[in-house]
Amino acid sequence: QVQLVESGGGSVQAGGSLRLSCATSGRLFNIYRVGWFRQAPGEEREFVAQIDWSGGSTTYADSVKGRFTCSKDGAKNTVYLQMSSLRPDDTAVYYCAAASYDGRGYADWGQGTQVTVSS
């Protein structure tokens, strides 16, 4: 099992930036991908971005392409989500999750961090 802890959320005005961190621990040798997801009030959780643990390849939702960047610091076992040009509709609780080679998909999740963007 992998433990994940998000940090870096907060309140920002539209057009501003935030960087979220996802610190990982546990069975890290079994991770093949870490993803970011978000859930706004009354909405379903949606995919935001993901990064391959080994190769660093990234994928983004269309709604954040060109504004968000996902990266990884291997020495710190931490994944980042740099968010720029933030909009009010980016307001949500942001979660990171780990997918392992055991076939369970995104089975390990962090507790989430709130991001609020005001107009």
Side-chain angles (χ1 to χ4, degrees):
Q1 192 171 4
V2 177
Q3 291 77 47
L4 305 102
V5 179
E6 302 96 336
S7 60
S11 297
V12 64
Q13 289 191 326
S17 300
L18 282 173
R19 189 179 77 160
L20 305 183
S21 300
C22 174
T24 65
S25 61
R27 297 171 64 89
L28 302 184
F29 64 89
N30 208 30
I31 298 176
Y32 78 88
R33 185 172 289 159
V34 172
W36 287 96
F37 298 79
R38 66 187 182 187
Q39 187 167 20
E43 302 289 332
E44 292 189 353
R45 186 169 58 197
E46 65 173 357
F47 168 78
V48 175
Q50 65 187 17
I51 185 166
D52 289 348
W53 191 252
S54 296
S57 176
T58 54
T59 306
Y60 298 93
D62 288 343
S63 59
V64 306
K65 276 181 184 176
R67 301 189 299 122
F68 291 11
T69 302
C70 189
S71 62
K72 182 174 75 73
D73 184 331
K76 296 181 179 180
N77 294 322
T78 298
V79 173
Y80 301 99
L81 185 67
Q82 177 68 49
M83 306 185 295
S84 303
S85 301
L86 283 162
R87 309 184 305 217
D89 61 358
D90 292 317
T91 295
V93 177
Y94 283 71
Y95 300 89
C96 62
S100 301
Y101 286 102
D102 58 9
R104 296 183 299 146
Y106 282 113
D108 297 311
W109 292 78
Q111 82 288 351
T113 186
Q114 176 71 46
V115 172
T116 303
V117 184
S118 58
S119 57

